[in-house]
Amino acid sequence: MSSTTLDPAEIAKFGALAAEWWNPKGPFGALHRLNPVRLQFIRDTVTRHFGTKGIRPLTGLSVLDLGCGGGLVSAPLARMGGRVTGVDAAPEAIGAARAYAEAAALDIDFQNTSAEALVKSGAQFDIVTALEIVEHVADVNAFLEAAEALVKPGGLLILSTINRTAKARALAIVGAERILQWAPEGAHEYDKLVKPEEIRAGASGIRWDEPVGITYQPLGAGWALSSDVDVNYMMAGAKP
C-alpha cells in the first residue's frame, strides 16, 4: 500500500454522530432513505453475476462492507444471507453497529480497522461494498487499490459516491446539506468528490460496468436508479 486511507478529521466528524446512526430522522436520515435503492442495486448485481436467486441471494458468499458506519448496509446484507464483515475507522461507529447487530440477532463481524490493514492480513471476499465512503478517505487511489486487493478473483466490487460536478455541488452540498438539512452541514467537501473515471483509474484491475445514477424523484416517489450520474451514482465491477 502506497499511503494511508485514514482521514482523522473525517473519522472524528462521523464518530461524534455515532449515537444517531439508526435514527431515520437524524443526521443519517438521507442514508436511510437511500438504502432501499442501494440494496436493490447490490441485489441485482449479485444475482446477475453469481447466478443466485431467492430472498437470500448472498447465501454462501463472503461480504466486506468497507466504511460500514453503524451498519446500515451490513445488516440487510446479512439478512440476504451474506457472511458479512463490517469495517470502519471510527470506534464509536463500530460500537453502534455491534449494538444494533446484537439486538437484531445478526451474526456480523464488525471490526475497527482500515482497508489497508485488511490487505496486509491477506483477507479477501466474494463481494466488497464501499458505499458513501470513497469521498471521505485521505487518499482515494490508496483506498481503491486496497478495495481491489480485497476482492477475490471472480468477485465483485460495488461502490456508491457523489460525482464532482457543478450539479452535485448545487444539489448534494448546497441543497441537501445547507437548505434541506438532509445531511449535517460540512458532511461533504466538493474537492473530495470523485468522478467515475477516477474510480476506474484507481481500481484499474476491475472490469467496471457503466455507472448508474441515483436521482430523487419528486412528489414523494423517493430515490430511484436512473441514467443521470451527475450527482449520486453507483458502480460495480468484477475482478477477473
Side-chain angles (χ1 to χ4, degrees):
M1 297 303 302
S2 58
S3 176
T4 180
T5 67
L6 304 182
D7 185 327
E10 295 281 352
I11 295 167
K13 181 195 308 180
F14 290 100
L17 297 170
E20 298 291 335
W21 269 107
W22 286 95
N23 178 5
K25 296 183 179 179
F28 298 111
L31 294 182
H32 283 267
R33 293 188 291 273
L34 271 173
N35 234 18
V37 71
R38 298 192 301 179
L39 293 167
Q40 174 192 338
F41 180 87
I42 294 170
R43 177 189 289 273
D44 291 348
T45 301
V46 168
T47 56
R48 183 172 61 249
H49 180 75
F50 289 103
T52 56
K53 299 179 181 179
I55 62 171
R56 291 171 60 85
L58 274 62
T59 298
L61 298 172
S62 58
V63 185
L64 172 64
D65 185 15
L66 280 176
C68 66
L72 297 190
V73 172
S74 302
L77 293 182
R79 291 187 176 106
M80 289 186 206
R83 299 192 309 275
V84 179
T85 299
V87 168
D88 202 279
E92 301 90 344
I94 290 298
R98 287 174 176 161
Y100 178 86
E102 182 177 355
L106 293 172
D107 184 12
I108 302 173
D109 179 16
F110 286 112
Q111 299 181 24
N112 177 213
T113 187
S114 67
E116 58 265 36
L118 280 180
V119 172
K120 289 179 181 178
S121 76
Q124 286 193 314
F125 302 82
D126 296 305
I127 303 164
V128 175
T129 64
L131 309 187
E132 273 66 54
I133 183 61
V134 70
E135 69 271 27
H136 297 294
V137 301
D139 185 321
V140 171
N141 285 333
F143 179 81
L144 292 169
E145 178 186 351
E148 178 184 325
L150 289 165
V151 181
K152 289 181 180 179
L156 289 172
L157 178 55
I158 303 174
L159 295 93
S160 64
T161 188
I162 302 174
N163 209 341
R164 194 173 65 254
T165 64
K167 185 175 177 180
R169 187 202 294 269
L171 296 181
I173 296 179
V174 176
E177 293 182 14
R178 301 174 191 172
I179 298 174
L180 297 173
Q181 298 183 335
W182 283 355
E185 186 168 350
H188 298 98
E189 299 175 28
Y190 178 76
D191 290 342
K192 295 188 74 172
L193 303 183
V194 185
K195 292 178 173 289
E197 56 265 32
E198 294 165 343
I199 299 289
R200 294 182 185 279
S204 58
I206 299 294
R207 293 177 179 168
W208 291 103
D209 297 334
E210 289 301 311
V212 175
I214 303 177
T215 55
Y216 187 75
Q217 308 297 310
L219 304 177
W223 296 92
L225 298 175
S226 78
S227 59
D228 183 356
V229 300
D230 288 345
V231 186
N232 297 83
Y233 68 93
M234 299 191 74
M235 288 181 68
K239 188 174 187 177

